[in-house]
Amino acid sequence: MSAIDLLRDELRTIGDLDSISAALDWDQATYMPDGGAAARGRQLALVSEMAHAKRASSTMRDLLSACRDLESRDDVDGALVRRARQRHERATKVPAALVRAIKEHSAEAYVAWTHARPANDFASVRPLLERGLDLSRRLADALGYVDHPLDALIDENDRGSTVASTVALFDALRAELVPLVKAITAAKPLDASILARPVPAHVQLEFARSVAEQLGYDFHRGRMDLTHHPFMTRLSGGDVRITTRVREDDFGEAFFSTVHEVGHALYEQGIDLAFDGTPLGEGASSGVHESQSRFWENFVARSPAFWSRFLPELKRAAPGTFDDVDVERMVHAVRHVGRSLIRTDADEVTYNLHVMLRFGLEKDLFDGAVKVAELPDAWNARMTTDLGVTPSDDREGVLQDVHWFCTTIGGSFQGYTFGNMLAAQLWESAATAMPDLETAIAAGEFDRLRAFLIDRLHRHGAVYDPAQLIERATGKPLGIEPLMRHLRANYGALHGVA
Ligand code: ZN
Protein backbone atom coordinates (compact mmCIF):
# COMPACT_ATOMS: atom_id res chain seq x y z
CA MET A 1 0.00 0.00 0.00
CA SER A 2 1.20 3.53 -0.79
CA ALA A 3 1.81 6.08 1.97
CA ILE A 4 -1.31 8.08 1.07
CA ASP A 5 -3.48 4.93 1.20
CA LEU A 6 -2.12 4.07 4.64
CA LEU A 7 -2.79 7.63 5.81
CA ARG A 8 -6.34 7.50 4.39
CA ASP A 9 -6.97 4.21 6.23
CA GLU A 10 -5.84 5.67 9.55
CA LEU A 11 -7.94 8.80 8.97
CA ARG A 12 -11.00 6.63 8.24
CA THR A 13 -10.54 4.83 11.57
CA ILE A 14 -10.48 8.22 13.33
CA GLY A 15 -13.50 9.26 11.25
CA ASP A 16 -15.35 6.14 12.42
CA LEU A 17 -14.63 7.02 16.06
CA ASP A 18 -16.01 10.53 15.41
CA SER A 19 -19.11 9.00 13.81
CA ILE A 20 -19.62 6.77 16.86
CA SER A 21 -19.55 9.93 19.01
CA ALA A 22 -22.04 11.61 16.67
CA ALA A 23 -24.41 8.62 16.88
CA LEU A 24 -24.22 8.65 20.69
CA ASP A 25 -24.80 12.44 20.70
CA TRP A 26 -27.77 12.12 18.36
CA ASP A 27 -29.30 9.41 20.54
CA GLN A 28 -28.76 11.54 23.66
CA ALA A 29 -30.54 14.50 22.03
CA THR A 30 -33.50 12.47 20.72
CA TYR A 31 -34.51 9.20 22.39
CA MET A 32 -32.20 8.47 25.34
CA PRO A 33 -33.99 8.38 28.71
CA ASP A 34 -32.61 10.79 31.35
CA GLY A 35 -31.33 7.83 33.34
CA GLY A 36 -28.74 7.18 30.64
CA ALA A 37 -26.95 10.51 31.12
CA ALA A 38 -24.08 9.46 33.41
CA ALA A 39 -23.10 6.37 31.40
CA ARG A 40 -23.46 8.28 28.14
CA GLY A 41 -21.10 10.97 29.42
CA ARG A 42 -18.47 8.30 30.12
CA GLN A 43 -19.00 6.62 26.74
CA LEU A 44 -18.63 9.90 24.86
CA ALA A 45 -15.48 10.81 26.81
CA LEU A 46 -13.98 7.38 26.07
CA VAL A 47 -14.57 7.57 22.31
CA SER A 48 -13.31 11.15 22.02
CA GLU A 49 -10.15 10.27 23.98
CA MET A 50 -9.53 7.35 21.61
CA ALA A 51 -9.89 9.64 18.57
CA HIS A 52 -7.65 12.29 20.18
CA ALA A 53 -4.94 9.71 20.95
CA LYS A 54 -4.95 8.50 17.35
CA ARG A 55 -4.75 12.04 15.95
CA ALA A 56 -1.82 12.90 18.21
CA SER A 57 -0.04 9.54 17.82
CA SER A 58 3.48 8.85 16.55
CA THR A 59 1.83 6.59 13.93
CA MET A 60 0.02 9.63 12.56
CA ARG A 61 3.24 11.68 12.70
CA ASP A 62 5.10 9.01 10.71
CA LEU A 63 2.31 8.64 8.14
CA LEU A 64 2.31 12.42 7.61
CA SER A 65 6.12 12.43 7.20
CA ALA A 66 5.83 9.67 4.59
CA CYS A 67 3.30 11.85 2.69
CA ARG A 68 5.30 15.08 2.98
CA ASP A 69 5.98 15.25 -0.80
CA LEU A 70 2.24 15.36 -1.53
CA GLU A 71 1.49 18.18 0.89
CA SER A 72 2.25 21.10 -1.41
CA ARG A 73 0.28 19.58 -4.30
CA ASP A 74 -2.70 21.51 -5.55
CA ASP A 75 -4.99 18.47 -5.66
CA VAL A 76 -7.23 16.34 -3.45
CA ASP A 77 -4.35 14.30 -1.99
CA GLY A 78 -2.48 17.51 -1.15
CA ALA A 79 -5.57 18.89 0.59
CA LEU A 80 -6.04 15.62 2.50
CA VAL A 81 -2.49 15.68 3.86
CA ARG A 82 -2.77 19.39 4.81
CA ARG A 83 -6.05 18.89 6.69
CA ALA A 84 -4.69 15.79 8.43
CA ARG A 85 -1.57 17.70 9.49
CA GLN A 86 -3.64 20.62 10.87
CA ARG A 87 -5.57 18.16 13.04
CA HIS A 88 -2.47 16.30 14.15
CA GLU A 89 -0.79 19.58 15.12
CA ARG A 90 -3.85 20.79 16.99
CA ALA A 91 -4.02 17.51 18.89
CA THR A 92 -0.36 17.77 19.90
CA LYS A 93 -0.30 21.52 20.65
CA VAL A 94 -3.05 21.63 23.27
CA PRO A 95 -1.90 20.00 26.54
CA ALA A 96 -4.15 17.20 27.83
CA ALA A 97 -4.48 19.03 31.18
CA LEU A 98 -5.90 22.09 29.42
CA VAL A 99 -8.35 19.96 27.41
CA ARG A 100 -9.52 18.37 30.67
CA ALA A 101 -9.74 21.74 32.49
CA ILE A 102 -11.88 23.17 29.68
CA LYS A 103 -14.18 20.14 29.71
CA GLU A 104 -14.66 20.24 33.47
CA HIS A 105 -15.15 24.00 33.49
CA SER A 106 -17.71 23.77 30.66
CA ALA A 107 -19.78 21.15 32.49
CA GLU A 108 -19.79 23.25 35.68
CA ALA A 109 -20.52 26.55 33.88
CA TYR A 110 -23.37 25.00 31.89
CA VAL A 111 -25.13 23.71 34.99
CA ALA A 112 -24.61 27.08 36.74
CA TRP A 113 -26.06 28.89 33.71
CA THR A 114 -29.21 26.70 33.70
CA HIS A 115 -29.86 27.99 37.25
CA ALA A 116 -28.59 31.57 36.81
CA ARG A 117 -30.66 32.40 33.73
CA PRO A 118 -34.13 31.78 35.17
CA ALA A 119 -33.04 33.40 38.47
CA ASN A 120 -31.63 36.48 36.65
CA ASP A 121 -28.46 35.97 38.70
CA PHE A 122 -25.43 37.20 36.75
CA ALA A 123 -23.36 37.51 39.95
CA SER A 124 -23.40 33.73 40.46
CA VAL A 125 -21.86 33.00 37.05
CA ARG A 126 -19.47 35.96 36.95
CA PRO A 127 -16.50 34.03 38.46
CA LEU A 128 -17.19 31.19 35.99
CA LEU A 129 -17.11 33.58 33.04
CA GLU A 130 -13.82 34.97 34.35
CA ARG A 131 -12.37 31.47 34.50
CA GLY A 132 -13.83 30.68 31.07
CA LEU A 133 -12.09 33.73 29.63
CA ASP A 134 -8.80 32.71 31.23
CA LEU A 135 -9.09 29.17 29.81
CA SER A 136 -9.95 30.61 26.39
CA ARG A 137 -6.78 32.74 26.45
CA ARG A 138 -4.74 29.70 27.43
CA LEU A 139 -6.27 27.71 24.56
CA ALA A 140 -5.46 30.54 22.12
CA ASP A 141 -1.87 30.65 23.42
CA ALA A 142 -1.52 26.90 22.97
CA LEU A 143 -2.92 26.98 19.43
CA GLY A 144 -0.76 29.98 18.54
CA TYR A 145 -1.55 33.18 16.63
CA VAL A 146 0.20 36.12 15.01
CA ASP A 147 -1.87 39.22 15.79
CA HIS A 148 -4.74 38.57 18.16
CA PRO A 149 -5.52 35.66 20.51
CA LEU A 150 -9.07 35.46 19.12
CA ASP A 151 -7.56 34.72 15.70
CA ALA A 152 -6.66 31.26 16.96
CA LEU A 153 -10.23 30.59 18.14
CA ILE A 154 -11.88 32.01 15.01
CA ASP A 155 -9.61 29.80 12.91
CA GLU A 156 -11.01 26.71 14.63
CA ASN A 157 -14.44 27.35 13.03
CA ASP A 158 -13.83 29.72 10.12
CA ARG A 159 -10.39 28.79 8.86
CA GLY A 160 -8.42 31.75 7.52
CA SER A 161 -10.59 34.48 9.06
CA THR A 162 -9.10 36.78 11.70
CA VAL A 163 -10.23 39.50 14.08
CA ALA A 164 -8.97 42.11 11.60
CA SER A 165 -10.80 40.65 8.56
CA THR A 166 -13.98 40.11 10.59
CA VAL A 167 -13.96 43.62 12.09
CA ALA A 168 -13.53 45.12 8.60
CA LEU A 169 -16.59 43.24 7.28
CA PHE A 170 -18.70 43.79 10.39
CA ASP A 171 -17.98 47.53 10.67
CA ALA A 172 -19.03 48.00 7.05
CA LEU A 173 -22.17 45.88 7.53
CA ARG A 174 -23.19 47.58 10.78
CA ALA A 175 -22.85 51.04 9.20
CA GLU A 176 -25.41 50.04 6.52
CA LEU A 177 -27.63 47.87 8.67
CA VAL A 178 -28.32 50.11 11.69
CA PRO A 179 -29.99 52.85 9.58
CA LEU A 180 -32.00 50.25 7.62
CA VAL A 181 -33.25 48.64 10.85
CA LYS A 182 -34.19 52.09 12.22
CA ALA A 183 -36.14 52.95 9.06
CA ILE A 184 -37.92 49.57 8.87
CA THR A 185 -38.88 49.47 12.54
CA ALA A 186 -40.22 53.04 12.33
CA ALA A 187 -42.64 51.89 9.61
CA LYS A 188 -45.93 50.07 10.22
CA PRO A 189 -45.08 46.46 11.18
CA LEU A 190 -46.17 43.64 8.87
CA ASP A 191 -48.88 41.35 10.19
CA ALA A 192 -47.46 38.00 11.30
CA SER A 193 -50.49 36.90 13.33
CA ILE A 194 -51.50 34.10 10.93
CA LEU A 195 -48.42 32.12 12.03
CA ALA A 196 -49.91 31.82 15.52
CA ARG A 197 -53.06 30.05 14.28
CA PRO A 198 -53.03 26.62 15.91
CA VAL A 199 -51.96 23.75 13.63
CA PRO A 200 -51.74 20.21 15.10
CA ALA A 201 -48.14 19.01 15.57
CA HIS A 202 -48.53 15.98 13.30
CA VAL A 203 -49.87 18.17 10.48
CA GLN A 204 -46.93 20.57 10.80
CA LEU A 205 -44.45 17.70 10.81
CA GLU A 206 -46.01 16.02 7.77
CA PHE A 207 -45.96 19.30 5.87
CA ALA A 208 -42.33 20.03 6.87
CA ARG A 209 -41.37 16.50 5.83
CA SER A 210 -43.06 16.86 2.46
CA VAL A 211 -41.28 20.19 1.81
CA ALA A 212 -37.93 18.68 2.89
CA GLU A 213 -38.44 15.85 0.40
CA GLN A 214 -39.39 18.21 -2.42
CA LEU A 215 -36.35 20.43 -1.74
CA GLY A 216 -34.27 17.31 -2.34
CA TYR A 217 -33.37 16.02 1.12
CA ASP A 218 -32.80 12.29 0.56
CA PHE A 219 -34.69 10.32 3.23
CA HIS A 220 -32.99 7.10 2.05
CA ARG A 221 -29.78 8.67 3.37
CA GLY A 222 -31.33 10.54 6.28
CA ARG A 223 -34.18 10.81 8.76
CA MET A 224 -36.01 13.43 10.79
CA ASP A 225 -36.71 13.28 14.53
CA LEU A 226 -37.82 15.58 17.33
CA THR A 227 -35.44 17.28 19.77
CA HIS A 228 -35.15 20.39 22.03
CA HIS A 229 -32.59 22.36 20.01
CA PRO A 230 -32.71 21.33 16.34
CA PHE A 231 -29.46 20.26 14.67
CA MET A 232 -28.13 18.26 11.71
CA THR A 233 -25.62 15.47 12.15
CA ARG A 234 -23.61 13.40 9.68
CA LEU A 235 -22.95 9.79 10.71
CA SER A 236 -21.62 9.00 7.22
CA GLY A 237 -22.24 10.13 3.66
CA GLY A 238 -25.15 7.66 3.57
CA ASP A 239 -26.66 8.80 6.89
CA VAL A 240 -27.17 12.55 7.33
CA ARG A 241 -29.88 13.23 9.93
CA ILE A 242 -31.96 16.27 10.83
CA THR A 243 -33.99 17.11 13.91
CA THR A 244 -36.73 19.62 14.51
CA ARG A 245 -39.15 20.88 17.18
CA VAL A 246 -42.76 21.90 16.95
CA ARG A 247 -45.11 24.40 18.64
CA GLU A 248 -48.78 24.17 17.80
CA ASP A 249 -49.24 27.95 18.15
CA ASP A 250 -46.19 28.91 16.06
CA PHE A 251 -46.16 27.51 12.54
CA GLY A 252 -42.78 29.12 11.79
CA GLU A 253 -40.97 27.16 14.53
CA ALA A 254 -41.06 23.67 13.04
CA PHE A 255 -41.24 24.82 9.43
CA PHE A 256 -38.25 27.16 9.30
CA SER A 257 -36.07 25.14 11.65
CA THR A 258 -36.71 22.08 9.45
CA VAL A 259 -35.84 23.96 6.26
CA HIS A 260 -32.74 25.37 8.01
CA GLU A 261 -31.49 21.90 8.96
CA VAL A 262 -32.39 20.58 5.49
CA GLY A 263 -30.02 23.24 4.09
CA HIS A 264 -27.20 21.92 6.29
CA ALA A 265 -28.10 18.34 5.33
CA LEU A 266 -28.22 18.99 1.56
CA TYR A 267 -24.65 20.30 1.91
CA GLU A 268 -23.50 17.11 3.65
CA GLN A 269 -25.44 14.85 1.26
CA GLY A 270 -23.82 16.67 -1.67
CA ILE A 271 -20.21 16.08 -0.62
CA ASP A 272 -18.24 13.72 -2.89
CA LEU A 273 -18.67 10.23 -1.36
CA ALA A 274 -15.03 9.46 -2.13
CA PHE A 275 -14.12 11.81 0.77
CA ASP A 276 -16.33 9.94 3.25
CA GLY A 277 -14.73 9.33 6.63
CA THR A 278 -11.72 11.58 5.94
CA PRO A 279 -11.20 15.22 7.00
CA LEU A 280 -12.26 16.24 3.45
CA GLY A 281 -15.73 14.72 3.91
CA GLU A 282 -17.26 17.64 5.79
CA GLY A 283 -18.24 21.29 5.27
CA ALA A 284 -15.50 23.86 4.62
CA SER A 285 -16.23 26.04 7.69
CA SER A 286 -18.99 27.17 10.07
CA GLY A 287 -19.73 30.18 7.89
CA VAL A 288 -19.97 28.16 4.67
CA HIS A 289 -22.20 25.62 6.44
CA GLU A 290 -24.47 28.33 7.77
CA SER A 291 -24.72 29.83 4.28
CA GLN A 292 -26.41 26.62 3.13
CA SER A 293 -29.01 26.58 5.91
CA ARG A 294 -29.75 30.28 5.42
CA PHE A 295 -29.92 29.94 1.65
CA TRP A 296 -32.88 27.55 1.84
CA GLU A 297 -34.46 29.05 4.96
CA ASN A 298 -34.33 32.74 4.04
CA PHE A 299 -33.77 33.08 0.32
CA VAL A 300 -35.90 30.18 -0.91
CA ALA A 301 -38.50 29.51 1.79
CA ARG A 302 -39.45 33.13 2.56
CA SER A 303 -39.89 34.11 -1.09
CA PRO A 304 -43.19 34.80 -2.89
CA ALA A 305 -42.25 32.20 -5.54
CA PHE A 306 -41.90 29.54 -2.85
CA TRP A 307 -45.26 30.32 -1.25
CA SER A 308 -47.05 30.46 -4.57
CA ARG A 309 -46.07 26.78 -4.86
CA PHE A 310 -46.48 25.67 -1.24
CA LEU A 311 -49.38 27.74 0.18
CA PRO A 312 -51.99 25.60 -1.66
CA GLU A 313 -50.30 22.49 -0.24
CA LEU A 314 -50.35 23.99 3.27
CA LYS A 315 -54.07 24.82 2.87
CA ARG A 316 -54.79 21.21 1.92
CA ALA A 317 -52.71 19.92 4.84
CA ALA A 318 -54.44 22.15 7.43
CA PRO A 319 -58.03 22.49 6.13
CA GLY A 320 -59.78 25.67 7.24
CA THR A 321 -56.74 27.25 8.91
CA PHE A 322 -55.29 29.39 6.12
CA ASP A 323 -58.26 29.59 3.70
CA ASP A 324 -58.34 33.41 3.83
CA VAL A 325 -54.56 33.79 3.36
CA ASP A 326 -53.03 34.71 0.01
CA VAL A 327 -49.35 34.60 -1.00
CA GLU A 328 -48.81 38.28 -0.19
CA ARG A 329 -50.17 37.87 3.33
CA MET A 330 -48.04 34.76 3.88
CA VAL A 331 -44.88 36.55 2.71
CA HIS A 332 -45.69 39.50 5.00
CA ALA A 333 -45.97 37.09 7.92
CA VAL A 334 -42.69 35.28 7.23
CA ARG A 335 -40.88 38.58 6.56
CA HIS A 336 -42.11 40.33 9.68
CA VAL A 337 -39.39 42.51 11.25
CA GLY A 338 -39.28 43.62 14.87
CA ARG A 339 -36.88 44.95 17.48
CA SER A 340 -36.39 41.83 19.57
CA LEU A 341 -34.23 41.28 22.61
CA ILE A 342 -33.54 37.60 21.97
CA ARG A 343 -31.20 36.55 19.14
CA THR A 344 -32.88 33.23 18.44
CA ASP A 345 -36.25 34.99 17.91
CA ALA A 346 -34.76 37.68 15.66
CA ASP A 347 -35.79 38.18 12.03
CA GLU A 348 -33.45 38.15 9.07
CA VAL A 349 -32.86 41.94 9.12
CA THR A 350 -31.98 42.43 12.79
CA TYR A 351 -30.29 39.06 13.34
CA ASN A 352 -26.82 40.16 12.28
CA LEU A 353 -26.84 43.04 14.78
CA HIS A 354 -27.29 40.48 17.55
CA VAL A 355 -24.32 38.50 16.20
CA MET A 356 -22.08 41.55 15.84
CA LEU A 357 -22.89 42.63 19.40
CA ARG A 358 -21.60 39.30 20.71
CA PHE A 359 -18.52 39.29 18.50
CA GLY A 360 -17.72 42.88 19.55
CA LEU A 361 -18.02 42.00 23.24
CA GLU A 362 -15.79 38.94 22.84
CA LYS A 363 -13.13 41.15 21.27
CA ASP A 364 -13.53 43.75 24.05
CA LEU A 365 -13.15 41.02 26.70
CA PHE A 366 -9.93 39.74 25.12
CA ASP A 367 -8.62 43.30 24.67
CA GLY A 368 -9.45 44.16 28.29
CA ALA A 369 -11.67 47.03 27.09
CA VAL A 370 -14.60 45.43 28.96
CA LYS A 371 -14.26 43.46 32.19
CA VAL A 372 -16.52 40.46 32.86
CA ALA A 373 -18.18 42.46 35.68
CA GLU A 374 -19.07 45.19 33.16
CA LEU A 375 -20.60 42.79 30.60
CA PRO A 376 -24.29 43.29 31.52
CA ASP A 377 -24.05 47.08 31.15
CA ALA A 378 -21.95 46.87 27.99
CA TRP A 379 -24.50 44.45 26.52
CA ASN A 380 -27.47 46.67 27.33
CA ALA A 381 -25.77 49.81 26.03
CA ARG A 382 -25.02 48.18 22.67
CA MET A 383 -28.57 46.79 22.37
CA THR A 384 -29.94 50.29 22.92
CA THR A 385 -27.65 51.84 20.31
CA ASP A 386 -28.03 49.16 17.64
CA LEU A 387 -31.53 47.78 18.10
CA GLY A 388 -33.28 50.55 19.99
CA VAL A 389 -34.42 48.25 22.79
CA THR A 390 -32.99 47.81 26.27
CA PRO A 391 -33.21 44.52 28.17
CA SER A 392 -35.14 44.90 31.41
CA ASP A 393 -32.93 42.30 33.09
CA ASP A 394 -30.00 39.96 32.34
CA ARG A 395 -32.30 37.11 31.32
CA GLU A 396 -33.10 39.20 28.23
CA GLY A 397 -29.49 40.35 28.03
CA VAL A 398 -26.15 38.80 28.75
CA LEU A 399 -27.55 35.53 30.15
CA GLN A 400 -29.65 34.60 27.11
CA ASP A 401 -27.20 32.49 25.08
CA VAL A 402 -25.64 29.23 26.21
CA HIS A 403 -22.47 29.70 24.10
CA TRP A 404 -20.19 31.37 26.68
CA PHE A 405 -21.25 28.80 29.29
CA CYS A 406 -20.89 25.55 27.40
CA THR A 407 -17.37 25.82 25.98
CA THR A 408 -14.59 28.41 25.61
CA ILE A 409 -15.42 32.05 24.89
CA GLY A 410 -14.83 33.44 21.41
CA GLY A 411 -14.58 32.34 17.81
CA SER A 412 -18.03 30.91 17.16
CA PHE A 413 -20.58 33.71 16.62
CA GLN A 414 -19.04 35.32 13.52
CA GLY A 415 -19.91 32.26 11.39
CA TYR A 416 -23.66 33.04 11.59
CA THR A 417 -23.19 36.39 9.88
CA PHE A 418 -20.59 35.08 7.41
CA GLY A 419 -23.27 32.53 6.48
CA ASN A 420 -25.93 35.18 5.87
CA MET A 421 -23.53 37.20 3.72
CA LEU A 422 -22.44 34.17 1.69
CA ALA A 423 -26.02 32.95 1.23
CA ALA A 424 -26.88 36.30 -0.40
CA GLN A 425 -23.79 36.13 -2.60
CA LEU A 426 -24.66 32.59 -3.72
CA TRP A 427 -28.25 33.60 -4.37
CA GLU A 428 -27.05 36.28 -6.81
CA SER A 429 -24.74 33.77 -8.51
CA ALA A 430 -27.56 31.25 -8.76
CA ALA A 431 -29.88 33.87 -10.26
CA THR A 432 -27.24 34.71 -12.87
CA ALA A 433 -26.68 31.04 -13.72
CA MET A 434 -30.43 30.33 -13.75
CA PRO A 435 -32.36 33.33 -15.11
CA ASP A 436 -35.61 31.39 -14.52
CA LEU A 437 -34.75 30.67 -10.86
CA GLU A 438 -37.97 32.12 -9.45
CA THR A 439 -40.14 30.40 -12.06
CA ALA A 440 -38.47 27.11 -11.18
CA ILE A 441 -39.09 27.64 -7.45
CA ALA A 442 -42.74 28.53 -8.14
CA ALA A 443 -43.02 25.25 -10.07
CA GLY A 444 -41.53 23.31 -7.15
CA GLU A 445 -38.57 22.38 -9.33
CA PHE A 446 -35.36 22.42 -7.26
CA ASP A 447 -33.12 19.95 -9.12
CA ARG A 448 -31.12 22.53 -11.09
CA LEU A 449 -30.70 24.81 -8.08
CA ARG A 450 -29.41 21.89 -6.03
CA ALA A 451 -27.13 20.82 -8.90
CA PHE A 452 -25.74 24.38 -9.00
CA LEU A 453 -24.94 24.30 -5.26
CA ILE A 454 -23.48 20.79 -5.46
CA ASP A 455 -21.24 21.77 -8.35
CA ARG A 456 -20.06 25.11 -6.94
CA LEU A 457 -19.87 24.19 -3.28
CA HIS A 458 -21.10 20.90 -1.83
CA ARG A 459 -19.09 18.30 -3.70
CA HIS A 460 -15.76 19.89 -2.76
CA GLY A 461 -16.21 19.19 0.97
CA ALA A 462 -13.24 20.64 2.86
CA VAL A 463 -10.80 20.46 -0.08
CA TYR A 464 -10.51 24.25 -0.38
CA ASP A 465 -9.96 26.92 2.24
CA PRO A 466 -13.21 28.85 2.81
CA ALA A 467 -11.93 32.02 1.09
CA GLN A 468 -10.78 30.02 -1.95
CA LEU A 469 -14.08 28.13 -2.12
CA ILE A 470 -16.12 31.35 -1.91
CA GLU A 471 -14.14 32.93 -4.76
CA ARG A 472 -14.51 29.80 -6.89
CA ALA A 473 -18.24 29.57 -6.18
CA THR A 474 -19.23 33.23 -6.61
CA GLY A 475 -16.32 34.87 -8.44
CA LYS A 476 -15.56 37.29 -5.62
CA PRO A 477 -14.47 37.44 -1.98
CA LEU A 478 -17.03 37.50 0.81
CA GLY A 479 -18.66 40.94 0.96
CA ILE A 480 -21.62 42.78 2.47
CA GLU A 481 -23.24 44.17 -0.68
CA PRO A 482 -25.28 41.14 -1.83
CA LEU A 483 -26.82 40.82 1.65
CA MET A 484 -27.62 44.54 1.81
CA ARG A 485 -29.17 44.41 -1.70
CA HIS A 486 -31.33 41.47 -0.59
CA LEU A 487 -32.48 43.17 2.63
CA ARG A 488 -33.26 46.46 0.87
CA ALA A 489 -35.12 44.76 -1.98
CA ASN A 490 -37.10 42.27 0.08
CA TYR A 491 -37.59 44.03 3.42
CA GLY A 492 -37.01 47.75 2.78
CA ALA A 493 -39.49 47.74 -0.09
CA LEU A 494 -42.17 45.86 1.91
CA HIS A 495 -41.96 48.57 4.57
CA GLY A 496 -41.97 51.50 2.16
CA VAL A 497 -38.30 52.28 2.88
CA ALA A 498 -36.47 53.72 -0.14
ZN1 ZN B 1 -27.39 26.42 11.32
Side-chain angles (χ1 to χ4, degrees):
M1 260 171 111
S2 65
I4 186 76
D5 287 335
L6 290 167
L7 175 66
R8 203 178 282 113
D9 263 14
E10 183 70 4
L11 290 169
R12 285 222 162 96
T13 304
I14 298 172
D16 283 341
L17 289 169
D18 290 342
S19 294
I20 291 167
S21 287
L24 292 174
D25 267 328
W26 171 85
D27 173 66
Q28 184 167 30
T30 51
Y31 297 109
M32 191 189 80
D34 291 346
R40 183 54 47 89
R42 279 198 320 272
Q43 293 152 1
L44 280 165
L46 172 66
V47 180
S48 83
E49 275 159 30
M50 289 165 76
H52 176 85
K54 280 197 161 289
R55 276 194 188 97
S57 70
S58 55
T59 308
M60 179 56 75
R61 186 195 59 214
D62 296 344
L63 286 168
L64 287 166
S65 309
C67 294
R68 190 174 290 281
D69 292 350
L70 298 174
E71 200 167 338
S72 56
R73 272 191 6 204
D74 187 19
D75 62 8
V76 168
D77 286 348
L80 182 68
V81 181
R82 288 194 294 280
R83 298 286 167 264
R85 179 177 299 287
Q86 283 158 0
R87 288 175 186 211
H88 171 67
E89 285 176 352
R90 191 198 188 279
T92 53
K93 272 183 198 165
V94 186
L98 180 57
V99 175
R100 204 174 315 116
I102 289 172
K103 247 186 204 144
E104 283 166 9
H105 164 76
S106 303
E108 187 189 345
Y110 175 74
V111 172
W113 173 78
T114 61
H115 297 295
R117 190 185 177 193
N120 188 37
D121 183 7
F122 179 76
S124 71
V125 289
R126 193 187 118 187
L128 290 165
L129 276 179
E130 280 160 353
R131 200 203 300 156
L133 184 61
D134 177 56
L135 289 166
S136 307
R137 283 183 201 285
R138 283 163 58 193
L139 177 62
D141 289 342
L143 292 168
Y145 56 87
V146 179
D147 293 320
H148 197 286
L150 260 184
D151 291 351
L153 305 182
I154 293 172
D155 198 73
E156 298 255 275
N157 299 307
D158 290 294
R159 200 156 19 91
S161 289
T162 61
V163 169
S165 67
T166 306
V167 165
L169 281 171
F170 283 9
D171 282 355
L173 182 61
R174 185 163 172 253
E176 304 263 321
L177 205 47
V178 169
L180 182 67
V181 166
K182 287 208 165 105
I184 287 178
T185 51
K188 188 169 175 281
L190 299 175
D191 178 11
S193 61
I194 55 168
L195 299 179
R197 291 180 181 176
V199 181
H202 74 275
V203 171
Q204 292 195 42
L205 291 171
E206 272 161 35
F207 179 71
R209 189 188 165 90
S210 161
V211 171
E213 210 156 26
Q214 293 180 64
L215 295 180
Y217 175 60
D218 181 356
F219 277 93
H220 298 292
R221 296 195 292 142
R223 55 177 290 131
M224 182 166 106
D225 296 271
L226 286 171
T227 191
H228 291 293
H229 300 281
F231 61 96
M232 178 279 308
T233 187
R234 175 195 181 101
L235 306 185
S236 70
D239 187 353
V240 177
R241 303 183 185 189
I242 56 172
T243 54
T244 192
R245 65 179 165 197
V246 59
R247 275 183 50 186
E248 298 208 328
D249 62 349
D250 181 359
F251 172 77
E253 177 78 47
F255 181 73
F256 286 106
S257 59
T258 303
V259 175
H260 181 100
E261 300 310 332
V262 162
H264 284 302
L266 288 175
Y267 187 7
E268 294 287 342
Q269 290 187 333
I271 294 173
D272 189 334
L273 283 171
F275 303 157
D276 207 21
T278 77
L280 300 181
E282 59 183 48
S285 69
S286 295
V288 173
H289 231 300
E290 202 61 14
S291 79
Q292 295 311 288
S293 53
R294 295 300 189 172
F295 186 94
W296 293 95
E297 178 192 356
N298 289 339
F299 290 79
V300 176
R302 292 185 201 273
S303 69
F306 179 88
W307 286 107
S308 72
R309 167 73 181 76
F310 286 99
L311 186 57
E313 188 175 325
L314 176 60
K315 288 181 180 181
R316 282 195 299 277
T321 312
F322 298 107
D323 288 357
D324 57 333
V325 175
D326 60 10
V327 170
E328 190 185 12
R329 194 157 168 210
M330 191 66 186
V331 170
H332 280 199
V334 301
R335 286 195 164 151
H336 170 83
V337 176
R339 301 169 184 273
S340 64
L341 290 160
I342 306 296
R343 174 183 62 88
T344 52
D345 297 339
D347 55 78
E348 201 188 345
V349 183
T350 56
Y351 188 85
N352 295 301
L353 293 175
H354 290 269
V355 171
M356 288 187 267
L357 175 150
R358 286 152 179 79
F359 177 81
L361 289 177
E362 287 174 348
K363 180 176 175 298
D364 286 347
L365 284 171
F366 272 82
D367 290 341
V370 167
K371 303 258 177 298
V372 168
E374 299 161 349
L375 262 183
D377 289 342
W379 183 291
N380 296 351
R382 179 87 179 246
M383 279 301 289
T384 311
T385 317
D386 283 7
L387 283 133
V389 279
T390 311
S392 59
D393 62 31
D394 293 332
R395 279 177 293 198
E396 297 175 338
V398 68
L399 289 175
Q400 70 177 262
D401 287 319
V402 68
H403 298 57
W404 292 343
F405 301 92
C406 69
T407 177
T408 47
I409 297 170
S412 68
F413 279 112
Q414 74 287 330
Y416 295 122
T417 287
F418 291 168
N420 289 330
M421 288 163 41
L422 179 55
Q425 210 161 305
L426 280 162
W427 179 256
E428 290 190 350
S429 300
T432 306
M434 274 179 73
D436 63 337
L437 177 59
E438 288 183 18
T439 318
I441 292 174
E445 184 209 301
F446 299 101
D447 290 359
R448 279 180 299 140
L449 180 55
R450 231 175 33 255
F452 168 87
L453 292 170
I454 289 171
D455 179 57
R456 298 276 180 108
L457 211 75
H458 300 176
R459 67 189 173 93
H460 304 296
V463 168
Y464 300 108
D465 282 329
Q468 236 182 332
L469 182 67
I470 291 167
E471 287 246 20
R472 284 179 62 102
T474 68
K476 50 188 179 241
L478 188 64
I480 68 159
E481 283 312 322
L483 178 61
M484 288 310 303
R485 274 195 286 273
H486 162 70
L487 296 178
R488 288 199 182 98
N490 292 299
Y491 287 88
L494 275 185
H495 292 81
V497 174

